[in-house]
Amino acid sequence: MQRLIDLRSDTVTQPTEEMRDFMRSAIVGDDVYEEDPTVRELEMTVATLLGKESGVFVPSGTMGNLIAAMIHGRDKRSEIICGSDSHVARDEVGGMSAVAGVHTFQVPNLEEGRLDIDKVREAVLADADIHYSVPRAVFVETSHGNRGGRVPPLAHFEEIAAICRQRISNHVALHCDGARIWNAAAALKLSPADVARPFDTVTCCMSKGLGCPMGSVLCGPLSFVTEARWARKMLGGGMRQVGFMAAAGLYALKHNLPRIPDDHRRLSSMHTTLTAATAAKEGMNGAVTLSPVETNIMFVHTNNAANRDSVVTHCAKNGVLVGSWPGNAIRVVMNCNVDEEAAKRSTDVLTEGLLKYFSS
């Protein structure tokens, strides 16, 4: 029986036996009392990798971003500037307003996930006015999930950081939703610390490209992280003997982080094959277009939702799971459970489905 290949997300991965063995051997303690040595090791390891002073282990990236919003947006007049197509705006259940109590000022995300820099400048440097909320932070994202894993250039974030520093009346922080910052670093061929340098605070996921069962680390200055521990407890995120999960992160940073470029290479190869096959097939007439591939995410855009659904069903029947996405698209996410053979088989199955249902 063929093994199921799951390309819906990089969150669907199963821990390897080696990761499970490492988790079982972890030394644990009560993390609320800051007595879990494995958690402490993960927090400091990630903070060092990102060039930050300290870090706090949280159950999810969504909680990490929410905590950042609570701390940066510390009063009811606060405003956080973010992209209209960002994860924090679209995919975190409105937590910044519902829980953190801050207003979001959303500016357009451009093609590769960059923010409209003129709109950012206008929002950050707006004159103080009794009618306006007060900008406290800009939230950015790299790589950008809703833009197909695209990676904005580092210069873009450096420009935003410079704009934040220009506001005189109050500090405006720059926070990065770095759920896939490991992928961004691999794509840019930079160290994670180089990528994270423009940001005051950054959230990074263990459970996406690194293949861990759960967890993220929120990093920044020690004073910020100290407050973050209080906010985590307030949100119900205080965890006890959670070193077993932190151990998965330590294992992944040693063994899975170096292989992230393999995911990018395999997806790029799939992209090349699909592009050639759909271009060569008569009757396609632009019915299928592919997003550029920079990291481990690709969108297959189609012109027909019913046919798109047929392709998704065809793939599932042949042992390959891909994701249906808004706008008649299919999302493919390469991950650490997909080896060379599985990547080739999934490419063949997806190609077959697209040619079957989108050629006239």
Side-chain angles (χ1 to χ4, degrees):
M1 183 177 178
Q2 286 187 318
R3 178 172 63 89
L4 184 69
I5 302 169
D6 199 337
L7 299 174
R8 293 172 299 167
S9 178
D10 45 9
T11 62
V12 300
T13 56
Q14 295 289 316
T16 63
E17 285 305 315
E18 294 80 7
M19 180 182 283
R20 293 170 194 258
D21 288 342
F22 195 81
M23 293 167 68
R24 278 189 285 266
S25 68
I27 301 171
V28 301
D30 191 319
D31 183 48
V32 172
Y33 292 140
E34 299 186 44
E35 293 176 355
D36 191 310
T38 308
V39 173
R40 296 287 82 72
E41 183 180 356
L42 176 66
E43 290 170 341
M44 291 312 302
T45 299
V46 173
T48 299
L49 281 171
L50 296 177
K52 303 305 177 190
E53 187 178 10
S54 188
V56 57
F57 188 46
V58 294
S60 70
T62 293
M63 182 179 284
N65 290 331
L66 178 58
I67 290 171
M70 292 170 67
I71 297 172
H72 292 311
R74 60 185 62 255
D75 62 53
K76 294 299 182 182
R77 298 177 300 150
S78 295
E79 171 181 282
I80 289 177
I81 299 155
C82 62
S84 58
D85 209 22
S86 65
H87 196 275
V88 294
R90 277 185 41 178
D91 303 302
E92 298 186 4
V93 207
M96 285 205 287
S97 58
V99 180
V102 300
H103 170 65
T104 61
F105 186 93
Q106 298 179 21
V107 303
N109 280 113
L110 305 181
E111 180 182 358
E112 61 197 359
R114 289 179 295 118
L115 298 182
D116 184 321
I117 201 72
D118 292 330
K119 298 293 185 183
V120 171
R121 182 179 292 106
E122 180 181 323
V124 170
L125 301 180
D127 292 336
D129 188 296
I130 197 170
H131 300 90
Y132 299 164
S133 49
V134 179
R136 301 291 188 188
V138 179
F139 277 36
V140 296
E141 182 177 340
T142 191
S143 66
H144 200 287
N146 288 324
R147 284 291 185 270
R150 301 290 297 275
V151 182
L154 196 58
H156 174 67
F157 298 129
E158 291 170 341
E159 185 174 5
I160 293 176
I163 291 170
C164 290
R165 290 193 295 269
Q166 291 173 26
R167 187 174 178 92
I168 304 301
S169 57
N170 63 276
H171 174 68
V172 177
L174 180 57
H175 172 76
C176 178
D177 173 7
R180 295 184 176 92
I181 196 169
W182 316 113
N183 297 88
L188 293 171
K189 294 182 170 58
L190 294 172
S191 71
D194 285 336
V195 178
R197 186 166 290 114
F199 312 127
D200 297 292
T201 56
V202 57
T203 304
C204 62
C205 278
M206 301 289 106
S207 58
K208 291 188 168 69
L210 294 180
C212 297
M214 62 157 282
S216 291
V217 181
L218 173 61
C219 296
L222 179 59
S223 58
F224 170 88
V225 169
T226 299
E227 288 192 67
R229 293 188 187 281
W230 287 76
R232 183 186 67 171
K233 190 72 172 74
M234 182 188 298
L235 295 173
M239 299 174 285
R240 301 298 178 174
Q241 289 74 22
V242 76
F244 296 111
M245 291 300 173
L250 290 170
Y251 178 90
L253 290 170
K254 182 176 181 180
H255 297 280
N256 292 352
L257 180 58
R259 55 149 308 282
I260 278 180
D262 292 341
D263 292 342
H264 299 181
R265 176 179 54 79
R266 288 172 181 142
L267 188 62
S268 180
S269 178
M270 176 186 283
H271 183 279
T272 299
T273 299
L274 291 175
T275 299
T278 54
K281 182 69 172 179
E282 292 185 9
M284 296 291 282
N285 298 321
V288 173
T289 57
L290 307 178
S291 67
V293 168
E294 294 181 2
T295 55
N296 67 323
I297 303 176
M298 175 179 69
F299 287 123
V300 181
H301 298 284
T302 78
N303 65 355
N304 185 291
N307 288 351
R308 183 274 313 273
D309 292 343
S310 294
V311 173
V312 173
T313 300
H314 165 87
C315 289
K317 288 179 177 178
N318 286 276
V320 178
L321 301 182
V322 293
S324 295
W325 208 254
N328 304 336
I330 296 168
R331 189 175 82 151
V332 177
V333 186
M334 200 61 66
N335 59 72
C336 63
N337 282 173
V338 182
D339 59 16
E340 210 73 44
E341 180 183 349
K344 184 181 185 307
R345 180 158 71 88
S346 57
T347 299
D348 292 342
V349 169
L350 181 53
T351 301
E352 182 181 78
L354 290 171
L355 297 183
K356 178 177 180 180
Y357 290 103
F358 281 98
S359 60
S360 55

